[in-house]
C-alpha cells in the first residue's frame, strides 16, 4: 500500500476507487469502505450487516491506507500485509483505491422508492444452527454454546435474559436450532429446523396522519398498508400546539405518548388483520417522522425544539426493544427510529432522501416537502444542503376563510377557462364543494394569476375593472363585508384577498428557504435537473400551479415531479435492506443543515418572495 494523497482533514471528502469496476465515489473522511461502496451502488459481500463479525467483506487496499482493527486481526491475520482489510471496519482518511472480490452470491433485488434498485437483505435473519451437545469434555453453558454457534455464522449477538428458559429447552431437544436475529439481537430461538414467516412494519408518523406498511421480509413485498389520523389530534392540530400541550408537564407528555401509541398499535392490528399475520410475526419496526413526533413517541419532552436556540433532545437514530417502545409486535423485536437532520428537518426527510437517492445520484435535484413546515433538500452526490421554512397552516386549510383539510367536499383542483370554472371536489361528481384544501388553494390562485384576475403583488382585481375589460369571470368577483375582495368559486365557497395573502406568506417562506439553500450550495435555477414534490400533500399539488405561484423555482414543468410518500418508502427500504438503513443512519452526517432564521437577509428575501413570479417566466 502506498499513500497517494496527504491525509484529508476532518469533514472533508476524499475519493475512493473500487477495482475492477472502476466505480468512484467521494465520501467524507471516516466513512467505511463498505458504506462508501454501497453509496456508489456497488455491493460488497456481507452477512453481518457491516458489524465486523462475518469476515466476508474483505477488500484489498492498493493505494491509501486503513488502520488494522482487532476484527481485521481475527479474520484476516495472514492477509493483512498484502493490504487486505474488512471494508466495514476500514475508515477512509485519504484517497483510496481498493480491489473488491466478486459477490459470492447475488442477493435478490427490487426496485423501490423513486426508481432505486435495492438489494433485499433485511436486518432480520433466520439461521439454522448446529448445537453440539455437551459432554464431560465440553462444559460450555447452553448459552455459550449458542453464542459460539452464532459466531460461526459470523454474528455476535446480544441474548436477552428472557430467552434463557427457551435456550434450556432447545438444548434439551437436540443438535439443531433455528435462531431469529434482528441486527445484533437474538429475538427467538426454536428447536429443530423451524423456519417461520418474518414480517416488518414501517411507520411514517406525521403530525396529521400516520401511515403503516407491513412488509413480508422473506418475499421483499408489501403485505398491507393502512393509515389513520394521528391520535394526538385532540391535543392540537400542529406541532406547535402539541408542544404547547406538552408544556403542561409530564402527565401531558405521557398523554401524548399514549395517544400516538394507540394509533400505532391500532394500525398494527389493521395491517395484520388485512394480511392474515399475527403481531408476534412482526420482528422489527422502522419509524420515520418529524423530530417532535419522534420525541413524543418515546415520551421525551419536545419543548426545547420550540424554544430558541431550537435544540432537540435527540437527532440520532434510536434502537429499542418493542416492549420498551410499546409497539404491539414480537416483544423482543426491535424498533428503529431514523435519525433527524435538524430539529426542523426530521427523520421523514431522511426517508425522502433515501427513497429518492438524492444524495447518491449525480443529478442536481431539489426536494420540497410542503406542510406547515416546508422542508427543503437540494444537492446531489457531491454535496447536499437542507433547511426548513415555517410555512404556517395555509396549506392545511388553516387561516383560510373556507379552508379545510383534504376530506370529502374539499375543492382540490380548479381550472378557469373561457369564462368557465371547473372544480375537482374530493368525493367526485355530485359532492357539493364545502371548502378549499391546500392543493385547491394553490390551484385557484395560480388560475386567477393566469386568468389575469390577480396581480403580481397579490391584489385581486376589482369587479369594476374586470367588467370594464369584459372579463368573462368578472361576475365572480365580489366584495365581502369591510370591503374585502373575494372570488366566488362555488355557492358558499369563496377565496378572499386575505386568503391570497396567507398563501403568499406560506409560499414566500418556502421559496425563501429554497433560495437560501440553493445559494448555500452555489447553484441556480437553471442548474436544477429535477424538482421533487414530496409528502402526502406534495403528491396533490399540480406542478404547473406550484410554478405559477412561485412555490418552486421556474424550471420547465416537465422537471417537476410529485413523488408521493417517499418518507414511508425510505423506511420500508430500510426494513428490506440493511445497507439502505446504514445509508439512512449516515445521511445526517452528509447533509449540511442551514438555519433559515440565521440568514441575515431573511426578511428582505422573504418580502421579495411574497410577490408572484411574472407570468412570462412561468407560462
Ligand atoms: S465483517 Fe461482516 S460486513 Fe464486514
Amino acid at each position: 500500500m502506498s499513500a497517494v494523497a496527504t491525509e484529508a482533514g476532518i469533514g472533508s471528502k476524499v475519493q475512493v476507487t473500487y477495482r475492477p469496476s472502476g466505480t468512484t465515489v467521494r465520501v467524507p473522511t471516516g466513512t467505511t469502505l463498505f458504506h462508501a461502496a454501497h453509496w456508489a451502488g456497488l455491493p460488497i459481500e456481507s452477512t453481518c450487516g457491516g458489524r465486523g463479525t462475518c469476515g466476508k467483506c474483505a477488500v484489498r487496499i492498493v493505494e491509501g491506507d486503513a488502520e488494522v482493527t482487532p476484527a481485521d486481526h481475527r479474520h484476516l491475520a495472514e492477509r493483512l500485509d498484502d493490504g487486505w482489510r474488512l471494508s466495514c471496519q476500514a475508515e477512509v482518511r485519504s484517497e483510496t483505491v481498493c480491489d473488491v472480490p466478486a459477490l459470492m452470491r447475488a442477493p435478490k433485488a427490487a426496485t423501490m422508492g423513486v426508481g432505486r434498485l435495492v438489494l433485499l437483505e433485511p436486518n432480520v435473519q433466520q439461521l439454522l444452527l448446529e448445537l453440539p451437545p455437551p459432554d464431560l469434555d465440553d462444559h460450555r453453558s447452553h448459552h455459550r454454546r449458542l453464542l459460539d454457534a452464532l459466531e460461526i455464522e459470523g454474528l455476535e449477538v446480544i441474548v436477552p435474559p428472557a430467552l434463557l428458559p427457551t435456550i434450556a429447552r432447545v438444548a434439551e431437544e437436540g443438535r439443531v436450532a433455528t435462531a431469529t436475529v434482528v441486527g445484533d439481537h437474538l429475538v427467538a430461538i426454536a428447536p429443530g429446523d423451524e423456519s417461520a414467516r418474518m414480517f416488518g412494519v414501517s411507520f411514517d408518523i406525521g403530525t396529521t396522519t400516520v401511515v403503516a406498511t407491513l412488509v413480508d421480509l422473506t418475499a421483499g413485498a408489501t403485505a398491507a398498508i393502512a393509515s389513520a389520523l394521528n391520535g394526538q389530534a385532540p391535543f392540537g392540530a400542529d406541532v406547535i400546539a402539541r408542544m404547547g400541550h406538552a408544556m403542561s408537564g409530564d402527565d401531558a407528555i405521557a398523554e401524548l405518548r399514549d395517544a400516538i401509541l394507540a394509533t400505532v398499535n391500532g394500525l398494527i392490528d389493521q395491517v395484520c388483520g388485512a394480511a392474515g399475520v399475527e403481531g408476534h410475526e412482526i420482528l422489527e419496526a422502522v419509524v420515520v417522522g418529524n423530530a417532535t413526533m419522534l420525541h413524543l413517541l418515546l415520551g421525551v419532552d419536545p419543548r426545547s425544539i420550540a424554544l430558541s436556540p431550537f435544540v432537540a433532545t435527540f437527532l440520532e437514530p434510536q434502537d429499542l426493544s418493542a416492549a420498551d417502545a410499546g409497539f404491539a409486535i414480537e416483544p423482543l423485536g426491535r424498533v428503529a427510529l431514523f435519525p433527524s437532520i435538524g430539529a426542523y428537518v426530521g427523520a421523514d426527510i431522511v426517508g425522502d432522501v433515501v427513497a429518492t437517492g438524492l444524495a447518491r445520484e449525480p443529478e442536481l435535484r431539489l426536494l420540497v416537502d410542503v406542510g406547515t413546515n416546508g422542508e427543503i433538500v437540494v444537492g446531489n452526490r457531491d454535496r447536499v444542503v437542507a433547511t426548513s421554512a415555517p410555512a404556517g397552516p395555509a396549506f392545511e386549510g388553516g387561516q383560510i376563510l373556507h379552508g379545510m383539510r383534504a376530506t370529502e367536499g374539499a375543492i382540490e383542483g380548479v381550472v378557469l377557462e373561457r369564462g368557465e370554472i371547473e372544480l375537482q371536489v374530493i368525493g367526485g361528481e355530485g359532492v357539493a364543494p364545502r371548502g378549499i384544501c391546500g392543493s385547491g388553494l394553490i390551484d385557484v390562485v395560480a388560475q386567477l394569476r393566469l386568468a389575469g384576475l390577480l396581480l403580481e403583488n397579490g391584489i385581486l382585481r376589482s369587479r369594476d375593472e374586470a367588467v370594464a375589460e369584459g372579463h368573462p369571470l368578472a361576475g365572480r368577483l365580489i366584495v365581502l363585508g369591510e370591503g374585502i375582495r373575494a372570488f366566488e368559486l362555488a355557492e358558499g365557497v369563496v377565496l378572499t384577498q386575505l386568503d391570497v395573502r396567507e398563501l403568499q406568506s406560506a409560499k414566500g417562506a418556502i421559496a425563501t428557504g429554497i433560495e437560501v439553500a440553493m445559494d448555500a450550495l452555489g447553484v441556480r435555477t437553471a442548474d436544477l435537473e429535477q424538482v421533487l414534490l414530496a409528502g402526502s400533500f406534495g403528491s396533490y399539488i399540480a406542478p404547473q400551479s406550484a410554478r405559477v405561484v412561485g412555490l418552486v423555482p421556474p424550471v420547465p414543468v416537465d422537471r417537476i415531479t410529485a413523488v408521493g410518500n417517499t418518507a414511508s418508502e425510505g423506511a420500508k427500504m430500510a426494513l428490506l435492506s440493511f445497507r439502505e438503513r446504514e445509508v439512512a443512519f449516515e445521511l445526517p452526517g452528509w447533509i449540511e443543515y442551514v438555519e433559515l432564521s440565521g440568514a441575515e437577509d431573511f426578511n428582505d428575501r422573504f418580502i421579495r418572495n411574497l410577490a408572484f413570479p411574472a407570468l412570462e417566466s412561468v407560462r
Side-chain angles (χ1 to χ4, degrees), residues 34 45-57 86 88:
F34 183 78
E45 198 73 40
S46 161
T47 54
C48 74
R51 292 182 180 80
T53 54
C54 72
K56 296 193 182 335
C57 66
L86 293 179
C88 69

Side-chain angles (χ1 to χ4, degrees), residues 550-598:
L551 180 65
V552 297
V555 297
V557 75
D558 59 1
R559 289 193 203 167
I560 305 174
T561 310
V563 286
N565 189 357
T566 40
S568 263
E569 195 67 9
K572 184 179 123 188
M573 285 162 66
L575 268 176
L576 286 168
S577 162
F578 75 80
R579 298 172 199 264
E580 295 296 330
R581 173 183 317 224
E582 290 299 327
V583 166
F585 284 10
E586 287 183 6
L587 267 174
W590 288 62
I591 297 177
E592 298 162 44
Y593 179 53
V594 178
E595 178 59 55
L596 202 53
S597 55

Side-chain angles (χ1 to χ4, degrees), residues 8-9 11-16 18 24-33 35-37 39-40 91-94 96 381-382 586 590:
S12 55
K13 286 193 174 178
V14 292
Q15 177 159 309
V16 183
Y18 296 93
T24 61
V25 62
R26 287 183 65 75
V27 294
T29 55
T31 306
T32 66
L33 286 173
H35 290 143
W39 198 271
E91 296 180 351
V92 290
R93 301 280 164 214
S94 59
T96 302
R381 66 184 178 194
D382 293 328
E586 287 183 6
W590 288 62

Side-chain angles (χ1 to χ4, degrees), residues 14 83 232 301 616:
V14 292
Q232 297 171 338
D301 188 342
E616 314 79 77

